[in-house]
Amino acid sequence: MTPPTILLIAREPLLPGAEAEYDRIETETAGLAATLRCPHPYLALKPLSGAKNEIWWLNGFDSPRQVDWVGEAYTANEAWSAALKKNQERKAPLTGKPIEQLADLEPRADSEPWRAGLARYVVFAVNPMEHLSGSHVFKGRDGARHEILMANTRADAERVARGKDVVVLEAVPRWSFPAKEWIDGSPELWKAAPR
């Protein structure tokens, strides 16, 4: 898989005591995404380090046109849009204001293969003091520099993170809507995900 040229990074703060109801709502939303044919895959991630009271979401796009197309497709799919809106309203009392940012890929020769949706763990650094070797670099529209590495095991992710100001995240398949290539490339990770 090639990295997206544009990455939507969303962080959703979770209020204390909201975890169980949030889990119910997001699990239901992912099931509805599969049933109602959500037009674009998305990946949910939970932090294992750093601020653990927030959920991260990643959506990759190949071009500005695809960003526009996905927005139009969401609007055109009235059943999915209505279900998503209803569940966003249900979870509003459980969360703080989400932080969303578009970031553009800055290709680097040393980047490892892009495996978001295939690897269980993601190491994420914002404006790191030193470059994470092998990472994919995305420049946020606000100027922030995002460096992303993927790892198959928690031990590998924590080894990369050791001594650095990074967040280790774990994919949450039951809250995600996987692309077909994610399922085909990592069936063990996605075996419990809604389809």
Side-chain angles (χ1 to χ4, degrees), residues 4-9 59-68 100-106 126-127 137-146:
T5 58
I6 300 171
L7 189 65
L8 173 63
I9 304 161
N59 288 274
F61 304 93
D62 295 329
S63 67
R65 176 66 193 121
Q66 188 182 33
V67 174
D68 293 340
E100 292 185 355
Q101 159 137 208
L102 287 173
D104 301 298
L105 178 67
E106 292 187 346
V126 180
N127 295 321
V137 177
F138 291 85
K139 180 139 187 208
R141 306 275 167 98
D142 67 351
R145 181 181 174 86
H146 305 273

Side-chain angles (χ1 to χ4, degrees), residues 2-106:
T2 58
T5 58
I6 300 171
L7 189 65
L8 173 63
I9 304 161
R11 294 166 58 183
E12 189 171 46
L14 196 56
L15 300 179
E19 294 85 358
E21 184 60 17
Y22 186 92
D23 179 52
R24 278 190 284 279
I25 293 168
E26 286 302 344
T27 301
E28 178 184 306
T29 301
L32 290 167
T35 302
L36 300 175
R37 300 181 184 264
C38 173
H40 195 70
Y42 57 86
L43 180 63
L45 301 151
K46 277 182 10 180
L48 301 175
S49 66
K52 294 184 181 178
N53 62 334
E54 62 183 10
I55 307 304
W56 292 49
W57 302 90
L58 299 180
N59 288 274
F61 304 93
D62 295 329
S63 67
R65 176 66 193 121
Q66 188 182 33
V67 174
D68 293 340
W69 178 87
V70 169
E72 293 162 7
Y74 265 64
T75 301
N77 186 336
E78 293 178 10
W80 164 243
S81 290
L84 180 62
K85 182 179 180 197
K86 178 183 173 188
N87 278 0
Q88 286 174 330
E89 290 169 356
R90 284 176 57 204
K91 75 176 183 178
L94 309 174
T95 64
K97 182 175 170 49
I99 301 162
E100 292 185 355
Q101 159 137 208
L102 287 173
D104 301 298
L105 178 67
E106 292 187 346

